[in-house]
Amino acid sequence: MANIKSSKKRILVNEKARVRNVAVRSELKTVVRKVNKAVEAAEKEQAQEALQVASRKLDKAVSKGVIHKNQAANRKSKLAAKVNAL
């Protein structure tokens, strides 16, 4: 454990951020999985709804600094291409 007060605070803040980031990444995986599942089942309406939710969650993750904006754009593009192929 650190001795300096600011170092102790950094440790606490970093842990909070880490926990939040893990939760957000997990949620992203879940919504992307829902889109893929709907695409595999060839359910166009469900896939489109799931895509909207996934796009919003990806944008939120970018604004929180969990993922990079280009990574979010690439993921959204890939999911949209799958849904539009239905």
Side-chain angles (χ1 to χ4, degrees), residues 5-67:
K5 189 173 183 180
S6 61
S7 297
K8 290 178 183 178
K9 183 175 178 184
R10 277 304 339 147
I11 290 169
L12 295 174
V13 171
N14 287 340
E15 180 61 17
K16 269 189 191 174
R18 186 189 69 79
V19 169
R20 187 200 66 205
N21 291 345
V22 168
V24 171
R25 272 193 230 109
S26 175
E27 193 173 19
L28 284 178
K29 289 177 190 175
T30 303
V31 294
V32 168
R33 201 177 301 122
K34 283 182 183 176
V35 175
N36 288 329
K37 193 174 180 182
V39 168
E40 286 175 15
E43 296 169 346
K44 191 170 178 79
E45 284 187 23
Q46 279 188 340
Q48 287 174 335
E49 289 173 15
L51 176 63
Q52 276 187 325
V53 172
S55 295
R56 186 167 166 76
K57 294 284 184 187
L58 285 163
D59 290 338
K60 287 259 189 182
V62 169
S63 68
K64 290 179 179 179
V66 178
I67 61 173

